[in-house]
Amino acid sequence: MSTKMFYLCFFAEKSKTLSSSTLWAHYSMLKTMLNVKRNIDVSKFYKLSAFLKRKSEGYKPKNAKVLTLDQIDKFLLEVPDKDFLMIKVALIFGVAGACRGKELHQLTISDVTDMDHALLVNVRNTKNNVDRNFIINNSNKNGIDLIEVCRKYMALRKPETTHSRFFVRYEKSQCTVQAIGKNTFGKIPQKVAEYLNLPNSTLYTGHCFRRTSASLLADSGASIDVWKRHGGWKSASVAEGYIENSINTKKIVADSIFGLGVGNSTESASAHQVSGSAVSASSASSTSSKNNILQNTIDGANRLLNIVNCSNVNIHVNINTNNKDL
């Protein structure tokens, strides 16, 4: 039996008991191992890859459920700090920075900088080797001061703590010296869902905070480039996979389809015509100097660019606004 046929039969047998995602994971590990140990390129086994693609048809992976902004506010407002202060801080950090559980686990005290008006958090050694940082603003929306919640937890850190991990255990209104393990972070979203009495709380897994952050950012109207920078995703398709299909986003699409923005589009079209006439008039009247003609042309082009940006305000967020939010 040839090597190609052997692996095809191997995966055909495994497909009877394993899901499509698990098959692809085994394929990836096998491809790396054989390439390093035996110098065999499994990616050229085209019948095998075609077989795995057929097995993937109709497969829907189970994604972590996401939290809404109202649910987050409710948890931060109603839950007493006495028992849940550490969980509150993990929720704030996880959603603000689209953090994985492992990234929260590896966070150190030197990665968090208090700048009086905000907290600057650096995320290092990420899964895809893309270091990033994010800001936690001093927000008082709905009576919630996010920075003060974090500062309260930071102030309880014991001086005799020998390690540099940022997150330490919190019990009976006091922090201990023991660092929180990686598996504990995977259970924190489930604890939040259980407190809020959300159905299927077990589906709020360790990736919940990361998907919640991406979904809330998408609902705000941010562009795909902002999503990628925020979560450290290199591929647009991967970033879009984290976006929850929210009702708010679908409402915006429906409004655009059925012409609720037609008035604005008509006004923008008229503005284009007026601006175009102004450019022509200024160019015709400014014949005394080449410098004046050039300046008027530049001014007219800038006005046109501003009008174009305004005409798209119902669908796209201005890139300057996005950068300010970051």
Side-chain angles (χ1 to χ4, degrees):
M1 181 183 295
S2 65
T3 304
K4 295 181 180 180
M5 184 60 64
F6 171 78
Y7 286 112
L8 181 60
C9 294
F10 172 79
F11 278 96
E13 184 65 25
K14 288 292 183 179
S15 65
K16 297 177 181 179
T17 56
L18 300 179
S19 65
S20 174
S21 59
T22 306
L23 288 176
W24 278 109
H26 287 184
Y27 171 80
S28 178
M29 292 185 288
L30 188 65
K31 180 175 67 174
T32 302
M33 186 272 292
L34 290 177
N35 193 24
V36 173
K37 300 291 185 179
R38 302 290 182 86
N39 197 26
I40 298 176
D41 188 1
V42 179
S43 63
K44 295 182 179 180
F45 296 179
Y46 301 116
K47 289 185 178 180
L48 176 58
S49 58
F51 171 78
L52 294 176
K53 290 178 181 179
R54 287 198 302 271
K55 286 295 180 181
S56 300
E57 294 178 357
Y59 173 75
K60 294 182 179 180
K62 293 182 180 179
N63 293 323
K65 295 181 70 67
V66 302
L67 297 167
T68 66
L69 193 57
D70 291 338
Q71 291 169 345
I72 294 173
D73 289 345
K74 181 179 180 180
F75 183 84
L76 294 176
L77 281 171
E78 296 183 358
V79 175
D81 291 347
K82 179 181 178 181
D83 301 315
F84 293 90
L85 181 59
M86 185 278 294
I87 294 180
K88 283 186 176 182
V89 177
L91 171 62
I92 294 172
F93 273 60
V95 174
C99 295
R100 304 175 179 90
K102 183 179 179 181
E103 293 169 352
L104 294 176
H105 167 66
Q106 294 178 338
L107 203 65
T108 65
I109 54 176
S110 61
D111 292 329
V112 181
T113 304
D114 192 339
M115 303 187 298
D116 293 333
H117 61 284
L119 295 179
L120 174 63
V121 183
N122 294 305
V123 182
R124 313 178 194 277
N125 301 321
T126 62
K127 179 181 177 181
N128 52 5
N129 300 319
V130 178
D131 292 350
R132 63 184 192 278
N133 52 48
F134 61 92
I135 290 287
I136 298 177
N137 286 326
N138 191 8
S139 172
N140 291 310
K141 177 188 175 185
N142 295 330
I144 305 171
D145 194 330
L146 301 179
I147 290 184
E148 286 306 316
V149 173
C150 298
R151 284 174 177 165
K152 181 178 180 180
Y153 176 75
M154 294 164 63
L156 294 174
R157 184 182 183 88
K158 292 184 179 298
E160 60 267 26
T161 304
T162 57
H163 58 82
S164 61
R165 299 290 186 191
F166 178 83
F167 283 99
V168 293
R169 290 195 176 277
Y170 178 81
E171 298 175 355
K172 299 179 181 180
S173 302
Q174 295 293 327
C175 286
T176 69
V177 297
Q178 183 181 2
I180 297 177
K182 181 177 64 176
N183 294 333
T184 301
F185 286 106
K187 295 293 184 181
I188 288 178
Q190 181 178 339
K191 292 181 179 179
V192 175
E194 289 174 349
Y195 182 89
L196 297 173
N197 294 321
L198 300 178
N200 301 320
S201 60
T202 55
L203 296 180
Y204 292 83
T205 62
H207 238 51
C208 169
F209 293 159
R210 187 165 171 81
R211 296 196 70 234
T212 296
S213 180
S215 297
L216 293 177
L217 186 61
D219 286 345
S220 70
S223 66
I224 187 64
D225 291 332
V226 176
W227 302 351
K228 290 167 63 178
R229 287 197 301 270
H230 178 63
W233 294 293
K234 298 179 181 179
S235 169
S237 60
V238 174
E240 290 171 352
Y242 280 81
I243 307 303
E244 186 75 4
N245 289 326
S246 67
I247 298 299
N248 291 334
T249 303
K250 292 184 180 298
K251 285 182 179 179
I252 295 174
V253 174
D255 291 344
S256 301
I257 291 174
F258 289 102
L260 295 184
V262 171
N264 292 334
S265 299
T266 304
E267 294 174 1
S268 298
S270 300
H272 276 290
Q273 295 176 356
V274 172
S275 180
S277 300
V279 172
S280 299
S282 63
S283 298
S285 60
S286 303
T287 57
S288 60
S289 173
K290 291 183 179 181
N291 291 332
N292 287 337
I293 293 175
L294 178 60
Q295 185 61 46
N296 287 333
T297 303
I298 294 175
D299 292 341
N302 287 331
R303 288 197 297 272
L304 283 174
L305 180 60
N306 290 332
I307 293 172
V308 170
N309 288 335
C310 293
S311 67
N312 293 330
V313 74
N314 291 324
I315 301 177
H316 300 289
V317 173
N318 189 279
I319 188 64
N320 292 329
T321 304
N322 286 335
N323 290 333
K324 189 181 295 182
D325 292 339
L326 290 176

